[in-house]
Amino acid sequence: MPNSLKGQVVHGVIWSSIERFSVQGLQFFIMIIMARLLSPKEYGLMGMLTIFMAISQSLIDSGFSQALIRKQNRTDVDNSTVFYFNIVIGIVLYVILYIAAPAVASFYNIPELTLLMRIVSIGIILNSLTIVPLALFATNIDFKSQTKASLIATVISGIVGISMAFNGFGVWSLAVQQLINLGINASLLWLLVKWRPLLSVSKQSFHELFAFGSKLLLSGILETLYRNIYLIVIGKVFSAASLGYYTRAQNFSDYPSSNLTNIFQRVTYPVLCKMQDNNVLLANVYQRFLKISAFVIFPLMVGLSAIAEPFIVLLLKEQWLFAATLLQIICFAGMWYPIHAINLNLLQVKGRTDLFLRLEIIKKIIGIVILCFTVPLGLVIMCYGQIVSSCISLIINTYYTGKLIDVGFMKQMRAFSPILCLSFSMWGVIYVSISYIQNAYMQLLGGIIIGGTYYIGLSYLFGFKEFKEIVSIICKK
């Protein structure tokens, strides 16, 4: 790799990491403050609209951003064609949602959703303006500009949202915060990007880019629908407050799980690609990645489950206590997500995207069947159903891994078993220890210290290779 490109990549990775953790950390802090000022019902109302916004975003993008990044000889005409297409689709989708708002409100039997949906949907048009600038920044490995825009937008919108929540604006503080964030972010991206659209479009360019992007569009819509189906069901069958509890619990679980999943995916995929033709080496390195991932993510998720109650009470107050019950359960489903990701990475490394798609369809069918069985039994049982679905998905994901490099389900479970035993025993130690403590602050602090000391101490005592490897990496850095 040329030194100039290598420097670009390193610089881009640094700013990408800064953007991910700084912006999400700030959003996490703002969310905690606003959740203390607002009720679960108000978060639930916004949660009911999430799927419409998510699907609209997939339709606006239509895979064009990835197509632009992939195309090496892109022109200003290509960029302009995508830009105008995005705006047209954004406006059309807004009109559709504006008209459909009363029907959505009727579906949930909540009349106030009509106006809320019509206002929140303005964000679709704002998002349509950012597709091309974001693609151009990604092409140039320029995450610094994105970081600036995201941080400024998050700070300003957060201040406005918190102020409105403090002054009793309820769910509208969430809606306005979201729109201001999108508006400022879009404005700053356009100030920073060194490109302006031409007054021309190309039919040929559209067909070329859409031929590639349409496949990603279908995959994206399928994933979006599945990812948000719980929100639709909970909002319809239960209540806005129940949906609010669930979305808070899911967000807290996703914060460590999704971030670590993305990190592990970025690291493992290019490394494994370099040894794709050497199955023996690939299998050894693959198992090493799996065990290190498990060593990090298992105790984090299990530990979060053990301290869920004092964690929720201190951050969000007593009114959110039911979210702690859901968080305790959801963490055991989320702990497997990085393992899923690495298993699916292997299929891409071996060029078997056909198997990737087949597994995704099978898993989603099974997930929906489990959801249908658990809905009548209540929200808590639905969350237990997620654990079952996650474990079944692990068996399915590892089937082809075993076929391709002989590292199937049983081999992976044998590799994980010492880490699983240590993590689950840590959960028991934390749970029992904090049950003798009455103060929530001391429960949270004590749980973290006891759990951390227990896990790290026994890892050192029993000579876990993963512990030694992580310590070695840290010491070298």
Side-chain angles (χ1 to χ4, degrees):
M1 179 184 295
N3 290 332
S4 59
L5 180 57
K6 185 176 181 180
Q8 248 190 325
V9 171
V10 172
H11 189 261
V13 168
I14 292 172
W15 279 102
S16 178
S17 302
I18 291 173
E19 182 196 26
R20 183 163 190 85
F21 288 105
S22 63
V23 173
Q24 287 202 7
L26 188 56
Q27 289 174 340
F28 183 80
F29 177 72
I30 292 169
M31 180 271 289
I32 290 173
I33 296 176
M34 295 187 70
R36 293 173 69 90
L37 297 171
L38 301 173
S39 69
K41 178 184 176 181
E42 289 160 333
Y43 270 95
L45 291 175
M46 289 294 290
M48 291 173 179
L49 304 179
T50 299
I51 187 169
F52 302 102
M53 302 301 109
I55 292 177
S56 297
Q57 182 60 32
S58 295
L59 290 169
I60 289 172
D61 186 0
S62 300
F64 277 128
S65 59
Q66 295 300 318
L68 283 177
I69 295 170
R70 177 176 176 272
K71 187 175 182 180
Q72 297 300 306
N73 59 338
R74 78 190 69 81
T75 65
D76 281 343
V77 174
D78 293 327
N79 296 332
S80 300
T81 300
V82 173
F83 173 72
Y84 292 120
F85 171 80
N86 291 335
I87 291 179
V88 170
I89 293 298
I91 294 173
V92 170
L93 287 172
Y94 176 75
V95 171
I96 292 173
L97 292 181
Y98 186 94
I99 296 172
V104 174
S106 176
F107 174 79
Y108 287 113
N109 198 27
I110 302 177
E112 61 189 292
L113 276 180
T114 299
L115 181 59
L116 182 64
M117 184 170 180
R118 286 173 171 174
I119 298 300
V120 171
S121 296
I122 296 173
I124 295 171
I125 300 176
L126 296 174
N127 267 330
S128 70
L129 300 171
T130 65
I131 301 298
V132 174
L134 288 173
L136 294 176
F137 284 132
T139 300
N140 297 321
I141 321 180
D142 180 7
F143 294 102
K144 182 176 181 179
S145 298
Q146 295 182 53
T147 303
K148 291 177 181 178
S150 297
L151 277 175
I152 294 173
T154 299
V155 170
I156 296 176
S157 63
I159 292 172
V160 173
I162 291 171
S163 299
M164 291 183 66
F166 184 78
N167 286 285
F169 282 91
V171 69
W172 290 105
S173 58
L174 294 171
V176 172
Q177 179 205 12
Q178 181 174 305
L179 289 178
I180 290 178
N181 188 300
L182 294 174
I184 294 176
N185 187 58
S187 300
L188 291 175
L189 287 174
W190 275 98
L191 285 174
L192 295 170
V193 72
K194 296 178 180 179
W195 175 81
R196 291 296 180 266
L198 303 175
L199 294 176
S200 64
V201 295
S202 168
K203 186 176 180 180
Q204 179 183 349
S205 175
F206 175 83
H207 285 300
E208 181 184 350
L209 294 170
F210 189 71
F212 174 83
S214 59
K215 300 177 182 65
L216 297 179
L217 169 64
L218 293 174
S219 300
I221 291 177
L222 178 64
E223 176 63 26
T224 300
L225 285 170
Y226 180 76
R227 193 173 60 243
N228 289 280
I229 194 170
Y230 273 79
L231 305 184
I232 297 175
V233 173
I234 295 171
K236 176 62 178 177
V237 177
F238 300 101
S239 65
S242 296
L243 182 55
Y245 290 126
Y246 177 81
T247 54
R248 290 308 91 202
Q250 189 68 61
N251 285 343
F252 281 126
S253 173
D254 281 347
Y255 191 76
S257 182
S258 63
N259 276 313
L260 287 172
T261 298
N262 278 289
I263 291 172
F264 290 138
Q265 279 182 313
R266 283 200 301 260
V267 172
T268 59
Y269 183 65
V271 173
L272 295 176
C273 281
K274 294 178 180 179
M275 53 194 74
Q276 56 185 291
D277 297 322
N278 186 338
N279 280 352
V280 175
L281 179 60
L282 181 61
N284 289 334
V285 175
Y286 174 77
Q287 290 185 84
R288 183 176 166 193
F289 276 139
L290 282 173
K291 293 175 72 173
I292 291 177
S293 302
F295 186 81
V296 174
I297 190 64
F298 285 0
L300 284 178
M301 298 302 292
V302 170
L304 179 59
S305 172
I307 61 171
E309 186 170 321
F311 178 77
I312 292 292
V313 169
L314 289 176
L315 292 183
L316 306 183
K317 296 184 178 180
E318 295 280 349
Q319 63 175 336
W320 289 92
L321 188 57
F322 184 57
T325 301
L326 304 181
L327 178 60
Q328 286 177 327
I329 303 167
I330 292 173
C331 282
F332 286 98
M335 66 185 287
W336 297 104
Y337 289 165
I339 309 304
H340 293 318
I342 297 176
N343 273 281
L344 292 175
N345 262 353
L346 182 76
L347 297 182
Q348 298 180 71
V349 168
K350 301 297 286 186
R352 298 306 305 270
T353 53
D354 57 325
L355 301 180
F356 186 106
L357 179 59
R358 185 185 303 174
L359 293 183
E360 287 300 297
I361 293 173
I362 293 172
K363 288 185 296 182
K364 285 172 174 54
I365 292 173
I366 293 174
I368 291 174
V369 171
I370 292 174
L371 174 62
C372 292
F373 274 106
T374 56
V375 166
L377 303 177
L379 187 52
V380 172
I381 302 301
M382 285 175 64
C383 292
Y384 278 112
Q386 288 189 12
I387 300 178
V388 176
S389 179
S390 185
C391 291
I392 293 175
S393 294
L394 180 65
I395 297 173
I396 294 172
N397 284 338
T398 55
Y399 175 77
Y400 285 118
T401 308
K403 292 290 185 181
L404 294 173
I405 61 169
D406 194 29
V407 186
F409 177 75
M410 294 308 299
K411 278 193 175 182
Q412 292 191 31
M413 292 309 297
R414 282 196 294 269
F416 295 150
S417 56
I419 302 171
L420 275 174
C421 291
L422 182 56
S423 298
F424 287 148
S425 65
M426 181 195 73
W427 185 93
V429 169
I430 296 174
Y431 194 81
V432 171
S433 299
I434 65 176
S435 66
Y436 293 101
I437 305 173
Q438 300 300 318
N439 183 276
Y441 286 99
M442 294 305 298
Q443 283 183 326
L444 182 61
L445 182 62
I448 293 173
I449 294 175
I450 292 171
T453 302
Y454 178 86
Y455 189 80
I456 294 174
L458 289 187
S459 296
Y460 174 77
L461 184 64
F462 289 113
F464 277 54
K465 292 181 179 179
E466 298 76 29
F467 174 74
K468 294 179 180 178
E469 190 160 1
I470 291 174
V471 170
S472 174
I473 293 172
I474 294 173
C475 289
K476 286 180 180 178
K477 294 296 181 183

